Structures are given as C-alpha cells and as structure tokens.
Amino acid sequence: MQKEPKSSDDAGPSAGAAPGAADSALPQDSAGKHAVSVLWSFGKCLGALLPVYLAGYFGFSICVVLLGLLVYMRWKHSRDGKQARLQSAMYFLENEQDVTTTRVFRSKRELPAWVNFPDVEKVEWMNKILQQAWPFIGQYLEKLLVETIAPSIRAASAHLQTLSFTKVDLGDRAMKVVGVKAYTEHDKRQVILDLYISYAGDVEINVEVKKYFCKAGVKGIQLHGRLRVILEPLIGDVPLVGAITMFFIRRPKLDINWTGLTNLLDIPGLNAMTDTMIMDAIASFLVLPNRLTVPLVANLHVAQLRSPLPRGIVRIHLLEAENLAAKDNYMKGVISGKSDPYAVLRVGTQTFTSHHVDNNLNPQWREMYEVIVHEVPGQELELEVFDKDPDQDDFLGRMKLDLGIVKKAVLLDEWYTLKDVPSGQVHLKLEWLSLLPSAERLNEVLERNKSITVYGKTADPPSAAILTVYLDRAQDLPFKKGNKDPSPMVQISVQDTTKESRTVYGTNNPVWEDAFTFFIQDPSKQDIDIQVKDDDRALTLGGLSIPLSRLLSSAELSMDQWFQLEKSGPASRIYITAMLRVLWLNEEAILTTPVSPLPGEGDNEPEVSPGLSKLTPTSKRPEHSSPDGNFASEGVLRIHLVEAQSLVAKDNLMGGMVKGKSDPYVKIRVGGLAFKSQVIKENLNPIWNELYEVILTQLPGQEVEFDLYDKDIDQDDFLGRVKVSLRDLISAQFTDQWYTLNDVKSGRLHLVLEWVPKVSDPTRLEQILHYNYQQSYLNKIVPSAALLFVYVERAHGLPLKKSGKEPKAGAEVSLKNVSRRTKVRPSHPDAFMLMLFKYQRLTKESCFSHKVVNRSTSPQWDEAFNFLMHNPSEDTLIVKLTHSWGQALGSLVLPVRELLDEKDLVLDRWFSLDGAMPESQILLRAELKLLDSKLAQCSDAEDSSHVIPSGDTAAAANCELRHRSVPVQGGEDASSTRKAQVKLSVAYLSEENRLFITVHACRNLPSFSKDPPDTYISFILLPDKNRNTKRKTSVKKKSLKPEFNERFDFDMTLEEAKQKHLEVSVKNSVSFMSREKELLGKLQLDLCQLDLKTGVSQWYDLSHETN
C-alpha cells in the first residue's frame, strides 16, 4: 500500500515544532547546560542592546537605531523566506510523484487513466515558449535574410545583383518538441537528451531576381526527427557544462512544398533528387558521424568532443539471400526471368555496395564490411536489395536492425525477412568488436583475422585495430616565398588511405581541431605519415612519420604531445593526439539465446518462411564481464590544505578606526564536489592542516579551485582565489608549493597536491597503511589506502515475485556507510518514437501513457561504481538485489581481502547469491588499486637507507620536498646566508627520450633600485647555441621571490643530455635605455654530474660570475 506523502503545509508545523521538542527532551537536572544557556541568552541580549548604547554614547539620532532595526528585520524576513522556499523546493524534488498525486487526488478525487511518469516526457512548457516566441523568431530570420544574407549573395555574383527576399513569414505554427528522453545512467560525466522534433509549418519565403523576371520560394515545410543533445563534460564551475553537442542519429524526414520557379523541383524524380541534396547538406554537419559542437568554456579539446572514440565496431558479413523476387521479365511478362541482385548497406553516413550477381534469385555475396558505431542504442543497420538494370534498378526489399541488439548479443548469425516485397530473406553475420586500450590481445586478434576469408579483388582484409588521430595545432611553420604567411592544411596517411584537414588561411600558427579515424590491419607494420602543406598542395611546410609500433609501447596505446616537424623550420612543431584501440570479439560474452529486437521494434523481428532454417548463436553464458574501456580509469586527487600567509585584514572595527584581522576559511571545488575548511579565528597567517580526497576522471579543462573567505555574521568577505589545472597536476603527479592569491592585494596559499599513483602490488599494502596511520590532520581524515572499482554486469536465475511475475531487479552495492544503486532501465530508447509514428491518430495522452520497463529473472545493468577504502584487509563489499528496492531477491557478501590473493587484484566471475534460488548468480567484476603515495615511498626510503629511491622524476622531487633540511648547493641554508637562489628540477624521461627542466622559483634576489625587479629566467644548453637549446620564462612583475613553475622539454638521447652544460641567468627585464642592472644572478650546471634518470630538484646558489 502506498503511503500518502505529507504536503508542504503539513510538513511546516512539524518542522517548526522540532526545536521545541528537542528543548523539552533536555534533562532538567543538567546544571552545566542550563548555565551555558543562560549565558548565551544574556550575550544575545547584550549584543542587541550594544548598538543602542553606542548610538547614545556617540550622540546619534534615534532614527539611526530604528533604521538599523528595520534593516535587520527585512534581512531576517528575507532569510527566513529563502530558507522556507528552499526546503519546500527540496521536498518537492524528492517527492515529486507523491506530491503531484496528492494534489490530483485533492482536486479531482480520482486519478485520470492517462497520468503517469513516462521515460519520454512531455514538454508542453517548452512548446508554449516556442509558440510565444515564434513571431519574434520570424522577425529575426527576416532581418537575417534581408540585411545579411541577401547582400552577401548579391556581392558574390553579378547575375544576382537584383536578388531580394520579397516575403519572409514563418507562419503561425511553431516547431514542437513532442517528447524528451534523458539518459544519465551511461556516463556520470555527461547528460544525453533525445529531442523528438516535429514541425509542420506554414512557412512562406519568396525570393525574386528582377533582372531575369524570376520568382521562387517555399510554402510549407515538414521536418520530423530525433535530435540528440549531449551536455559534456560536466564541470564544477559556471556554466556547469563544458560544451553542447547536437546531431541527428538518423536522417530526419523532410518534405518541402516549393512555389514559383522552384515548383519544377516538385516534378517526380527531380523532387527526390533535390530533397536528397538538401538532406545531404544537412547530414554533412548534423547527422552522425558529423556533430555540431558549441564549446562553452575555454581550453577544451573540441576535436575530441566533435569526434569522440566510437562505442565499438560492427563487422558485417553479407553472406547470401534466398527467394528474391524476379524482376527481369521479357516480352511484356510473357517470359519470366530472374534478377541481378546487389545490396546497399548503410549505417549513418557510411554506405557500402556489394557486387551484383547475374541472373540469380539465391545470390551468394560472401562480402565483409566494418562500420564505426558512434551511438548505441540509436544507430541502425539499413540494408536494401536492388535488381541491377541498365536504366532504373528495381527494388527487391529492405530490412533494418538496431545495432544495440548486436552489442547486447556480441554475435548474430541469422536470416532476416525482407520488408515491402512478397518474398525474400537475407543472411547476415554480425560481430560486435569492443575497443581495448591495451595490446595484450593483439597477437590473438591477428591470428584470428588470418582465419577470416575475404572474397572480392578489392576487399580489404579484416582490421585488428582502429586509429584515431586528433589534429590540434602547429607552431612556427616556415613562411612562403616573400616572407608571406602560409595557408596550411594537413594530409594524414596510413597505408593507402589519406585524409585531409581543413585549410587555415594566412597564419603560420594554425589551429585545426580536426579528427580522423583509420582502420589498421597490423599496427606493428604500419606508420602514420603526416604532411603539412600550403593550400595549393605544392609547397610542403613540414613532415612527420610516426610508427604505430611506438603507440603499442605507450600507456593505454595513446600519445598526446608535440612533435618536431622534419624538413621545416627549426622551431616548427605540431601537436597531435593519437589513440590506438585493439578490436576484440569477446566470445565469452556471447548470449546463449537468440536476441530478438527490442520491445517496440516489432517491425524488425526476423521472420522465416517455412522450409528455411534460421541460424542462431550457440555459444554459452559469458564467464567473465565485459566492462567499457573506461572502467577503472578514474584516479584519486589528494589535497593537503596546509596554511596561508599575509592575508588581507577584513575585520575593521569602529568604522575602520581600529584595524582588526580576519577569520579565514577555504572553499575547495573540483569535479562537481565542494569542500569547506574550518574557520581560523582572527589570524592572517592561518594553519589548517586538512586533507581531502576526490575520485576524478581526467576531463579537458577541469580545474581545482580554492576560494578564501573571511567569516562574518552577515556576508563573508573575499580573501583571494587560486585555480590549478587538473591536467597539470596529473602531468606533475605531485606538487608542494605556495600559490599567490589572485584578485586581492596580498596573500598566498600553501598546498600539497598529489595525483596518487595506483598500483596492483599487494606487498606495498603494509607500507602504505603504516605511512597513512602516521599522518595526522585537523579534520580527522585518514588517507585512503586503496580504490575499489566494482562493475555489476548481470544476474541469472533470480526468484520470481510473490505474485508469480518477473521482478524489476535493482542492485545496491555497499561498502561500510557508502551505498550505490543501479537503475531500472527502460527496454529501448526508441520505443516511444516508434509508437508515436505508428499510432499517429492517437491522442497525446494515450501516446504518453505507455512505459515499457524490463521485467526479468536475468537482468543486465552494465553499471560501474568506485569506493575509497582505508584498509582493504578489513572492509567487506555487500551487494543486495531487490525488486524495486523492496522484496529481497538475494545478496552477496565479499570480503575485499580476497582480492589481495588474486592476480592483479581482480575478481571477475559469477558469484552465487545468498537468500535466493540455488541457481541464482550475479556476474561481477571487482578490481582493487592500492594508492601508493610518493610520500609513502619516500618515507620507506628514509626509514631504510636515507637514499632517494630510483624511479621517475616526480618521486625524486617529492623526496626532496620531504627532506627540507637537505643543504642546498653552497653548503648553507638560504635562510641563514640570505644568498640569491633558484630552484630547478632536472630529469630525463627514458620512455619519451626527453630531457625536461622545470623552473620553480627564485628567492632572496638582489634589488638595484627602489622598486623590485621584473624578473625572468633564461637558460641555454651549451655547447650548442641556437634556438632549439635556448629557453626563457615569462616575466614576473616587481618580485624578489618570483614563482614560475614552468616546464621546458628537449628531445634528445640520454647520452646527448649528459654532454650538455646548463647555463642559467636570472635577469631583470629592463628597457634598452635603462641604467638598471640587467643580470641578477647566474648559474652553470654540468649535467653529467647529475643523476638524470632519478631526477634532481633543489635550490641552487646564484652568483654574479659563472660557478
């Protein structure tokens, strides 16, 4: 029985009565609490009378007191009203269905039959807005056509100088959004909306060319389609969404009523051609794989949003057909012939045409195609069969199949009945190929591909991988003859396939932001050839060749970096992101039973005529799960809020006559989460020593924001802001430094930020726990020792409900006090649209009343969760399965310590459920990653041998930060000698064959004038003296302790690096005529004396002469 919810009116008094109930519950004999209460009441009375006393003491008018009282009362009233509205809105959002149902009961006493909460929601409010704004949209369109487009057309051609728009009228019928479906369960970093658009308008647009007495126009347009809108990435700052991406998954249905001279376009044959041309123009930028992306924030990888990695690849085997219709008749049908059939296959804009088989009603093609699938569910395979004729080809049938069915089944080998014809079937074998970010199974894929027989002289062999190349930008390209700027474009070739970028005109620093995808047969034998050319394709501005074998040795088969161009300028380089993904057919995930079309797609159900066999997959139930490639890709950002110095004093008393201090606290925002530190009373140099941990996914443009405020009774005062790029943090892994506060006069913030490395070595757990329990923070946080990833794929053999019906199963995953729930999914996202077009004569109410929900004893969720853990040896993972979060269907209790004994700390198998049927099981993957902080590694080294362990550069830098008492070059600490110093990090990355030098900061710099110098640092790698070995930082204005934190990379071998001498000069940026001294200090380091593999990071003494 459903419990009737309380209304907001009923909730109000109970909420208001809560404090009184709490007071009455206090012990009467608690003398200490009573005394505190009395003192608090006395303090409030004293605070209320103090303004009155001060007003009388200083001789102010009583009006000032009354004015202050009035202001306070208005503030209190507004505050209470805002709080009440907020609580009411929160209650409504949490109990929307109950509140709405209660209101309908109160008003109508009985619920109408059409009321429900469908997956595809009506948006009548949006349609009302469109209807109201439609005349003004028409005014804007008329202004755009008359004042902007018409002059541009007249200027473009001498024949159209008399062109004009004589009438622009959008009519009275506005475009309607008949339904909206939101997807939030696929990816927590995005929101997907499907807008079902229907427009049947009486629009009228007339154009006239007076010179040729020509009139043309449009009177009436119909457009129906499903527009997908993706809001991603979700960010923790205004406007909350990084970009908006829009596209039609399929070509929308378009019908145009022409007028005037363009009536000729309505001629049969010509009408279809013109509509096709218009649809091709729309598809060129708004139908998959084309997307319209509108970035809303800066520093986004627009190319990756416009062309994201595909969901997967479908390998289509077009095998044969049977019982096709005979179309080739002779002597007006007296002699019956056969047909010359061929097939046309489409997936989005990808089209393939088979060869035709002469004079055969049971043709065998045996051809293979590979198509890129960008969106599932949504994209469909469309197949049409035609009879080849000299004039017009005859239609032999069609079929459609949602590729979401192929993804679910992994392998389909079936006969499909052709529609719109009396007879005919086609035999297809469809394989879903997942994208793997590692090369572990590459050899297995290559061996499997050798067994695939490909027919046809021009057929391509099966692919083992796909390559996606994101072309970002180039810098310092050479000029053309005459020192003119080039108009560069790029040709990217892989084997025999070449693709071209767009042309950027008149610049040697072009930005393309294009993406290209290639099918790769053998990554170990193929290269990426990149040629940067001028727009005439004759002048080559530079080139580059990247072996794909280099990608195979990279982390996650990806490279994201600058590349030096060959046969180009000395500083010419290009920024490219290359991602390789291995194509894997997961045979273990193939379903045991045939997969029928999703509910609502009855038209696609395969039908087989009597006498024909229907082939179905015969594989077994999958033994292991098949999570998405992004599973377990999240990381942990550890934020140590240490202290601040020199903050601005905001608490001034007596109208500023008595200068006070501040009560500072910090708000931290990252990844949509927010944290707030404790308030430090009356301190301009507060020490917080607080720790925060956040699970994040690497997203472009994401930042960690620190806002400092002074806590006040009314409105908190702003004390400064710091923003740190998450991408830079991930690149550096660890940073311990002071950050200057922005937007204020003074102040700086001390932060220790670490992107904690994830390891799968269980022997490190004891050391990690030992280090973590030694740490002490004021907010009582113990650092997490591990990150647990859980993937809940499916269940099998669940018990039925008490009523005998199949359950709506949901899974709740819990670890200590943290719980996550799966979602009960609708069976098919297109069910509503199919129903709407199939039953167009039904009312809107009846259309929206349908809701198809999965009921199954073998549900499939495909959802991932993650949890932070303090001690994996003691924690337990609990999974509970219930029907709609009510009736229990079974549970699983999994001690996390079992993962410590598994290879790579992974458990991936079927688990039996307690409290269920004997055959009830759940397929689950649990993966444990230990959080091995660099500080914990350095602590181990300090305890053992006091030697910095060999490893990457970040480890060495971190250990240096832990050993702050290590003397700098010169033998004495700078605090005692006051010598000018510079802090550098020098290391060599063997994986990238690159030397990098990081300039952190300077201190104790001399000043040769009354103002501090405008400092910058220049350095050179001797003995070479050219542009490639010279670098300099940005200029820091008027500072004796500038902070740069700038990194510089040099491509060279380790042997070449050891032969270099680093000469560093700290300089004052002065004008040419200035008498101020330019050189502030100098340093020379012999790199052969440094341990470049381990890396060195420390302070060095500066001198006026070379060391």
Side-chain angles (χ1 to χ4, degrees), residues 385-444:
V385 184
F386 295 92
D387 168 39
K388 185 71 174 177
D389 283 332
D391 46 4
Q392 183 176 359
D393 297 343
D394 298 317
F395 178 71
L396 296 179
R398 66 166 56 90
M399 59 82 61
K400 288 185 180 181
L401 179 67
D402 193 299
L403 294 179
I405 300 175
V406 184
K407 181 182 179 182
K408 184 177 180 180
V410 180
L411 175 65
L412 285 177
D413 190 348
E414 298 189 6
W415 286 90
Y416 295 93
T417 301
L418 296 174
K419 304 295 182 182
D420 304 329
V421 287
S423 65
Q425 295 83 30
V426 63
H427 185 194
L428 297 176
K429 180 181 178 182
L430 306 168
E431 300 171 341
W432 178 270
L433 305 179
S434 303
L435 309 182
L436 301 183
S438 67
E440 296 177 358
R441 299 183 181 269
L442 178 60
N443 293 331
E444 189 176 348

Side-chain angles (χ1 to χ4, degrees), residues 97-307:
Q97 184 168 353
D98 294 338
V99 173
T100 306
T101 304
T102 303
R103 288 177 179 174
V104 174
F105 266 121
R106 288 178 176 176
S107 60
K108 300 294 184 181
R109 300 299 178 186
E110 184 180 6
L111 273 175
W114 53 266
V115 174
N116 78 329
F117 291 80
D119 283 330
V120 179
E121 300 175 2
K122 292 189 292 186
V123 283
E124 289 302 319
W125 59 269
M126 185 182 296
N127 293 327
K128 290 179 181 179
I129 293 175
L130 286 174
Q131 185 65 46
Q132 194 77 3
W134 197 249
F136 302 96
I137 296 175
Q139 294 176 15
Y140 170 75
L141 179 62
E142 181 179 8
K143 183 177 180 181
L144 180 68
L145 290 174
V146 174
E147 299 181 5
T148 304
I149 296 180
S152 300
I153 296 176
R154 288 193 290 265
S157 173
H159 300 283
L160 300 177
Q161 289 183 352
T162 58
L163 180 141
S164 63
F165 288 93
T166 58
K167 185 175 183 179
V168 178
D169 183 12
L170 284 187
D172 299 327
R173 298 178 182 177
M175 182 183 70
K176 285 191 175 183
V177 180
V178 296
V180 173
K181 180 173 177 59
Y183 302 85
T184 57
E185 64 271 18
H186 296 291
D187 192 340
K188 303 299 182 184
R189 300 161 293 180
Q190 63 178 203
V191 174
I192 300 177
L193 301 174
D194 279 348
L195 306 182
Y196 298 91
I197 296 174
S198 179
Y199 177 60
D202 51 349
V203 57
E204 185 174 0
I205 301 177
N206 295 328
V207 63
E208 179 181 7
V209 183
K210 295 181 179 180
K211 180 178 180 180
Y212 300 103
F213 304 101
C214 175
K215 294 182 179 181
V218 173
K219 189 173 184 179
I221 295 177
Q222 291 192 51
L223 178 67
H224 306 279
R226 177 159 63 114
L227 180 69
R228 176 158 291 184
V229 180
I230 301 179
L231 311 177
E232 69 169 336
L234 301 180
I235 58 178
D237 201 352
V238 175
L240 304 180
V241 177
I244 300 176
T245 302
M246 295 175 287
F247 54 88
F248 287 99
I249 292 182
R250 307 182 194 91
R251 290 177 174 237
K253 298 180 180 179
L254 177 67
D255 186 18
I256 302 175
N257 184 25
W258 303 100
T259 63
L261 186 62
T262 48
N263 272 322
L264 297 176
L265 300 179
D266 281 331
I267 297 175
L270 190 60
N271 180 24
M273 184 179 68
T274 54
D275 286 352
T276 301
M277 292 174 60
I278 294 173
M279 281 309 308
D280 288 341
I282 296 175
S284 65
F285 68 94
L286 264 182
V287 178
L288 275 178
N290 304 297
R291 303 168 184 239
L292 177 62
T293 300
V294 182
L296 303 180
V297 297
N299 301 322
L300 279 179
H301 288 289
V302 178
Q304 295 187 22
L305 293 175
R306 189 180 295 124
S307 302

Side-chain angles (χ1 to χ4, degrees), residues 4 26 35 38 69 88 100 164 419-420 616 972-973 1017 1027:
E4 184 174 349
L26 289 174
V38 171
L69 182 61
S88 176
T100 306
S164 63
K419 304 295 182 182
D420 304 329
T616 59
E972 296 178 313
D973 193 4
I1017 296 178
R1027 293 180 60 186

Side-chain angles (χ1 to χ4, degrees), residues 765-1026:
L765 179 59
E766 184 177 352
Q767 289 83 357
I768 293 173
L769 292 175
H770 176 72
Y771 170 79
N772 288 352
Y773 288 132
Q774 286 181 337
Q775 308 308 305
S776 177
Y777 301 96
L778 294 181
N779 58 344
K780 308 299 182 182
I781 295 296
V782 177
S784 300
L787 181 59
L788 177 64
F789 298 92
V790 181
Y791 180 76
V792 182
E793 181 167 307
R794 65 182 73 193
H796 176 73
L798 297 183
L800 298 175
K801 293 175 56 183
K802 296 178 181 179
S803 61
K805 295 182 179 180
E806 291 186 331
K808 298 178 183 178
E812 181 177 5
V813 186
S814 304
L815 187 75
K816 284 195 172 180
N817 298 325
V818 181
S819 297
R820 304 280 191 269
R821 285 183 173 182
T822 61
K823 296 186 173 55
V824 181
R825 302 169 185 268
S827 58
H828 187 51
D830 282 341
F832 168 77
M833 197 61 184
L834 290 167
M835 178 179 63
L836 183 65
F837 283 113
K838 193 171 183 179
Y839 306 103
Q840 291 181 359
R841 296 184 180 181
L842 295 177
T843 63
K844 292 183 179 179
E845 289 78 10
S846 62
C847 286
F848 278 92
S849 66
H850 293 73
K851 181 180 180 182
V852 184
V853 180
N854 279 336
R855 287 183 179 269
S856 175
T857 57
S858 299
Q860 182 168 349
W861 298 285
D862 295 321
E863 294 198 30
F865 310 97
N866 45 54
F867 302 85
L868 286 172
M869 309 177 64
H870 295 298
N871 191 344
S873 303
E874 300 175 357
D875 292 338
T876 300
L877 181 70
I878 300 176
V879 182
K880 295 180 180 179
L881 273 62
T882 57
H883 163 69
S884 297
W885 316 119
Q887 176 186 339
L889 301 176
S891 63
L892 168 67
V893 178
L894 178 64
V896 182
R897 62 175 177 271
E898 293 185 11
L899 274 73
L900 298 174
D901 298 328
E902 298 293 329
K903 181 182 178 182
D904 297 328
L905 309 185
V906 175
L907 269 175
D908 189 354
R909 59 182 175 85
W910 288 93
F911 295 85
S912 297
L913 294 172
D914 299 328
M917 305 289 288
E919 65 271 19
S920 298
Q921 290 182 318
I922 185 171
L923 179 57
L924 179 143
R925 178 184 177 93
E927 185 170 341
L928 188 67
K929 293 292 185 181
L930 301 182
L931 300 177
D932 195 4
S933 170
K934 298 297 182 181
L935 296 179
Q937 298 175 21
C938 294
S939 177
D940 296 342
E942 180 179 348
D943 294 339
S944 59
S945 61
H946 299 281
V947 177
I948 297 176
S950 60
D952 58 9
T953 307
N958 301 342
C959 294
E960 186 273 339
L961 293 170
R962 293 286 294 168
H963 297 36
R964 292 185 177 273
S965 60
V966 176
V968 296
Q969 181 178 344
E972 296 178 313
D973 193 4
S975 60
S976 59
T977 61
R978 305 297 296 176
K979 290 184 178 179
Q981 293 181 325
V982 61
K983 184 178 180 181
L984 305 173
S985 293
V986 184
Y988 186 82
L989 297 180
S990 303
E991 298 83 0
E992 301 180 11
N993 293 327
R994 182 180 299 175
L995 172 72
F996 82 78
I997 300 171
T998 302
V999 181
H1000 295 287
C1002 294
R1003 62 186 180 189
N1004 303 331
L1005 295 180
S1007 179
F1008 300 102
S1009 64
K1010 62 180 181 179
D1011 295 324
D1014 297 337
T1015 312
Y1016 72 95
I1017 296 178
S1018 66
F1019 58 89
I1020 185 172
L1021 289 176
L1022 300 175
D1024 300 329
K1025 291 187 177 182
N1026 52 53

Side-chain angles (χ1 to χ4, degrees), residues 531-632:
Q531 298 292 326
V532 184
K533 297 184 177 182
D534 198 27
D535 59 339
D536 59 2
R537 276 55 167 188
L539 175 62
T540 300
L541 304 175
L544 173 66
S545 180
I546 306 174
L548 290 181
S549 57
R550 185 175 172 184
L551 273 172
L552 294 175
S553 59
S554 302
E556 297 185 351
L557 307 184
S558 301
M559 297 178 65
D560 185 9
Q561 65 184 70
W562 288 98
F563 291 90
Q564 194 73 28
L565 288 174
E566 302 171 357
K567 298 180 181 179
S568 186
S572 299
R573 57 180 186 166
I574 188 170
Y575 195 90
I576 287 176
T577 300
M579 306 177 71
L580 189 70
R581 292 294 182 265
V582 177
L583 303 181
W584 173 248
L585 176 63
N586 188 6
E587 294 179 339
E588 297 177 349
I590 298 175
L591 297 183
T592 57
T593 57
V595 178
S596 61
L598 299 169
E601 292 230 343
D603 293 341
N604 290 341
E605 176 131 13
E607 298 177 4
V608 182
S609 60
L612 287 178
S613 63
K614 178 176 178 179
L615 302 178
T616 59
T618 59
S619 57
K620 57 184 180 180
R621 190 155 52 103
E623 296 181 1
H624 301 287
S625 64
S626 53
D628 186 76
N630 293 325
F631 176 71

